[in-house]
Amino acid sequence: MGHASALRCDLLVVGGGINGAGIARDAAGRGLSVVLCEQDDLAAHTSSASSKLIHGGLRYLQYGELGLVRKALREREVLMRSAPHLIRPLRFVLPQLPGLRPAWMLRCGLFLYDHLARRELLPGSSHINLRTHAAGLPLANGIDSGFVYADAAVDDARLVVLNALDAHERGAVILPRTRCVSMYASDNAWHATLRSEDGRATMVEARCVVNATGAWALDLLKQAQVPSQRQLRMVKGSHIVVPRLFQHDEAYLFQNDDDRIVFALPFEQHYTLIGTTDVEFTEDPRRVSISAEETTYLCNISNRYFRKQISPADVVWNYAGIRPLLDDGAGNAQAVTRDYELHTDTATAPLLSVFGGKVTTYRKLAEEALDRIAQLIDVPGAAWTSAACLPGGDILGAAPANASVLQFGDFIQRLQRQYPWLPAPLTQRYARAYGTRVHKLLASCHSLADLGVALAPGLHEGELHYLMDNEWARSAHDVLWRRSKLGLQAPASAARLIDAWMQRHLRQTPVSAAGGRHA
């Protein structure tokens, strides 16, 4: 076991998913000293297992969740401006089938979707003839009409990392692979013991704790001996990835007889992402995986709509995650609210717990959490994140009001002129993943050889250095499946090669990206 170190801070955030990282970022930007710990890698669980969308949630309208949809639509605009490299516009085709929701109902829902919140970056919805529209070509015979509307796509795991990176650069201590093993309150403060995966202990004294542990939220409250009347409903959502089923860049939203909807999204140039399911889950959240029944379910819906038929044998990747939703008494899993609730407890020392939520509303959730925390402890600064870019998002300057996803093509062209030796596919991927931070990645490079050996297709040593030194990557899985999706194209041997390289690098130059401002 390693020796223990000690930290004092204003805020201890337990949980390194999107909500925890967003709260840490907001808090650090308001001048608080922050420590964030996460038992695994950042975004290791629910926050890397979403449908990869920033959207209002069209289907939530049928459950009367107008407030949630309005909030999500407003956030869609804010987030698109803050990270135009990471979040891109995506048009959705919604085919109409006989026996499902009638055209008038779809038209009314889309009218609400267009007008519930101010919309500047995306076009409104419209009716289309799928017999003549390019999006109709991959569809099965008999699907003649539908609608198109706009939302946005995001790399969910990278969104978490960028929030953690911004928090770190504003003074937060970020501790992935570090579990909160005990916590008690004394003298109106929290005293926590954090233990890293290599056995090192860190003692933290915090004026306030944020419980952003998602599926483990009730477990942390029990550990802290804080009673709670809240109940969580664990719902599993699974996705499959298959070779590309269509050649255009639009997505699809498919209705199904069981009242669910399923997305089919263009994914990583060569693939189609299909999901999601809604299945009640009562087992260990650390051991969640797609079932054979879910895979068959998604294949069947795809086969109902697309000419090109698929089977479970065509699935090249799958993933599943647990949505820890507020139990609102809804009869079926898809009807459970996706909104969030913040609960504060001050009986022993200030503690704020996050229940529920979705990727699109994480920034607003964090802002509301900090406003709530400001009622419990002194918070020097005011809300700021709605007018700030995430790391790499300042492609047109520091103010997101001046940035637009519509100018992202110009940014790529500038990169191609500045780094003419960089292959076009790498330029595109680096631009999307890192935005303006690509200049830091390529700072000492004047040729492709300067990026070092390619340990997997498209993955050079220079990028691995960057990910380890700046983004807390420590394993091949962190790199291939969370910091990127290069695992889809990497040979089976790549993971072992990358792990060995990273271990050698750690032994030669120990990396620490924790940093931080201490109270």
Side-chain angles (χ1 to χ4, degrees), residues 206-225:
R207 297 167 62 205
C208 180
V209 165
V210 170
N211 173 11
T213 55
W216 293 270
L218 298 180
D219 294 339
L220 187 72
L221 290 177
K222 185 177 180 180
Q223 180 189 89
Q225 298 184 354

Side-chain angles (χ1 to χ4, degrees), residues 296-415:
T296 299
Y297 173 86
L298 294 174
C299 288
N300 287 343
I301 292 179
S302 177
N303 291 338
R304 180 179 187 179
Y305 282 89
F306 287 123
R307 295 177 188 272
K308 188 175 182 178
Q309 302 289 283
I310 60 172
S311 72
D314 295 303
V315 175
V316 297
W317 183 48
N318 65 68
Y319 62 89
I322 299 301
R323 307 184 194 98
L325 305 177
L326 277 167
D327 193 346
D328 59 0
N332 55 52
Q334 63 258 35
V336 182
T337 181
R338 265 53 175 180
D339 211 346
Y340 56 81
E341 182 177 305
L342 305 175
H343 179 72
T344 53
D345 186 280
T346 57
T348 51
L351 184 147
L352 181 141
S353 292
V354 178
F355 298 104
K358 60 199 295 290
V359 171
T360 305
T361 54
Y362 88 89
R363 189 210 62 85
K364 188 64 177 175
L365 180 155
E367 188 174 81
E368 291 179 9
L370 264 295
D371 290 344
R372 189 80 66 88
I373 289 168
Q375 301 171 14
L376 308 176
I377 63 174
D378 294 333
V379 176
W384 62 277
T385 57
S386 65
C389 292
L390 282 163
D394 53 340
I395 63 172
L396 290 179
N402 297 326
S404 169
V405 288
L406 304 179
Q407 273 83 42
F408 188 74
D410 296 336
F411 173 66
I412 292 178
Q413 289 178 10
R414 294 201 305 272
L415 289 182

Side-chain angles (χ1 to χ4, degrees), residues 46-64:
T46 301
S47 294
S48 60
S50 76
S51 294
K52 323 296 184 195
L53 298 176
I54 297 296
H55 65 134
L58 180 61
R59 76 179 183 88
Y60 305 147
L61 291 175
Q62 75 181 84
Y63 300 111

